[in-house]
Amino acid sequence: MTAMTTPQENKALVLAAFDILFNRRDYAAAEAFWSDVYIQHSAHIGPGRAGLFDLIRASPATLVYENQFALAEGDLVITYGRFSGTGRPAAWIAADVVRIEAGKLAEHWDVLQDEATRADSVSGLPMFGDRFPG
């Protein structure tokens, strides 16, 4: 029987996986983090692990993922972060939900929103960190 991972271990796993794939673009190392039968619910990413990896391969070399915080409960991890350098006019602020199974990222959902500028922020507060995008 495989030992269950703790929520804290799951959170560390997801953050390491995101860094290896999105920032380092080490696809061989990333394969060890994503399940062979990875389920992708995001509307803008092709199915499975291959769909995600193909999206990143096609993204500009300037793509960067920054995490502001992560929460974990049971086998679910929610990250709140920023994808910048995407080639789009605004960075994406993302809430990613990942389900962990057998020590790997097994399933993913996301909610994405363009990062607001100071002029666009009705609250007067930035969406990520303590500063508006430059």
Side-chain angles (χ1 to χ4, degrees):
M1 178 176 215
T2 304
M4 294 293 294
T5 53
T6 68
Q8 204 59 19
E9 290 168 330
N10 292 340
K11 187 166 39 170
L13 176 76
V14 170
L15 292 175
F18 278 26
D19 183 55
I20 285 169
L21 180 61
F22 303 130
N23 296 329
R24 299 183 198 181
R25 295 195 179 201
D26 185 340
Y27 300 100
E31 284 181 4
F33 287 86
W34 270 267
S35 170
D36 292 345
V37 292
Y38 177 70
I39 301 167
Q40 180 62 262
H41 294 276
S42 179
H44 69 278
I45 303 174
R49 181 172 75 184
L52 175 61
F53 286 19
D54 288 347
L55 174 75
I56 303 308
R57 282 186 183 97
S59 296
T62 53
L63 175 71
V64 174
Y65 175 76
E66 303 166 86
N67 180 263
Q68 186 164 341
F69 61 83
L71 306 168
E73 182 175 325
D75 63 353
L76 295 175
V77 175
I78 300 173
T79 62
Y80 183 80
R82 175 198 281 146
F83 289 93
S84 59
T86 62
R88 297 170 38 82
W92 265 339
I93 303 302
D96 288 284
V97 180
V98 180
R99 183 178 60 81
I100 306 300
E101 183 178 294
K104 293 192 176 198
L105 284 70
E107 195 166 6
H108 170 262
W109 302 260
D110 62 23
V111 179
L112 301 170
Q113 183 176 357
D114 285 349
E115 185 171 14
T117 63
R118 181 181 303 277
D120 294 331
S121 176
V122 176
S123 72
L125 297 172
M127 296 174 69
F128 186 88
D130 58 2
R131 287 180 258 133
F132 285 95

